[in-house]
Amino acid sequence: MEELDAAEIERRVAEIRERMRPLESDLAALRGERDLLLTELRRRRRLADRTQRADLKAGMREGKFPTVAELVAATDGGSLDDYDYNLKTGGQVRLGFPGARAQSLGFTDGVRIASAADFVQAAELYAAGWELGSPGKPGVRVHFPGTRQERLVPAEEVYARPGERAAG
């Protein structure tokens, strides 16, 4: 390359650019087709998610799924992970604090607090008269999967349905 003068290098660069022009045009057309298909996939996923959420909310209204309060009162064994949890709005949540390795339910006797890592512990606390929540703050602590966003929600507004792991 060192034996070529600057004019020859510029001529070769121009020649290569000219050869690339149809390829770039084809590439732009292919990218457009790809983006159109990806847009259609996103539209279909959103529609499926919206339909699934509407079906879930209808199931909650019809009483197909127990609330966490009902589940704690009626269950005396099993893992919290046997269920998937949703707010009454349909949004999926996990029980307990964000970043925790395992889900948990908080209970209070009005003064003290205790945490249940499964339904065995939850049943023991519930049978001893403890309520879901913390002193002066009844409810279930939930967080949204993959986020640090958490909130305390009335136990009657968190629904449980058999989880994918338990169903499959």
Side-chain angles (χ1 to χ4, degrees):
M1 284 282 179
E2 291 186 19
E3 63 274 353
L4 298 176
D5 65 354
E8 177 60 19
I9 293 174
E10 287 179 16
R11 184 191 67 71
R12 287 185 180 184
V13 168
E15 183 181 297
I16 291 171
R17 282 190 180 132
E18 195 59 36
R19 288 181 14 218
M20 288 172 57
R21 189 164 293 141
L23 297 174
E24 288 174 343
S25 176
D26 289 346
L27 188 56
L30 289 171
R31 284 184 177 134
E33 289 178 42
R34 176 203 60 197
D35 292 347
L36 189 64
L37 292 171
L38 289 173
T39 298
E40 179 62 16
L41 278 176
R42 283 191 303 271
R43 185 191 71 76
R44 289 181 183 191
R45 282 188 197 122
R46 287 183 189 135
L47 180 61
D49 288 347
R50 193 170 35 246
T51 302
Q52 181 182 18
R53 198 167 174 148
D55 292 345
L56 179 65
K57 288 168 67 173
M60 287 182 217
R61 281 191 301 275
E62 294 167 5
K64 287 183 182 176
F65 307 114
T67 65
V68 168
E70 293 168 341
L71 194 60
V72 166
T75 306
D76 58 3
S79 170
L80 297 176
D81 290 330
D82 290 343
Y83 295 88
D84 289 333
Y85 303 94
N86 295 85
L87 298 177
K88 72 176 183 178
T89 58
Q92 187 172 4
V93 293
R94 289 186 50 84
L95 304 176
F97 293 93
R101 290 185 182 191
Q103 296 187 86
S104 64
L105 285 169
F107 284 83
T108 183
D109 65 356
V111 178
R112 297 174 294 165
I113 58 173
S115 182
D118 58 30
F119 284 113
V120 173
Q121 292 174 322
E124 290 169 0
L125 291 167
Y126 185 77
W130 291 55
E131 295 291 327
L132 286 163
S134 58
K137 296 179 183 175
V140 177
R141 180 164 308 282
V142 298
H143 65 277
F144 298 93
T147 71
R148 305 284 306 158
Q149 186 179 1
E150 67 177 87
R151 40 194 268 215
L152 189 64
V153 180
E156 300 77 30
E157 295 182 11
V158 181
Y159 290 83
R161 59 190 168 83
E164 299 297 323
R165 193 177 73 155

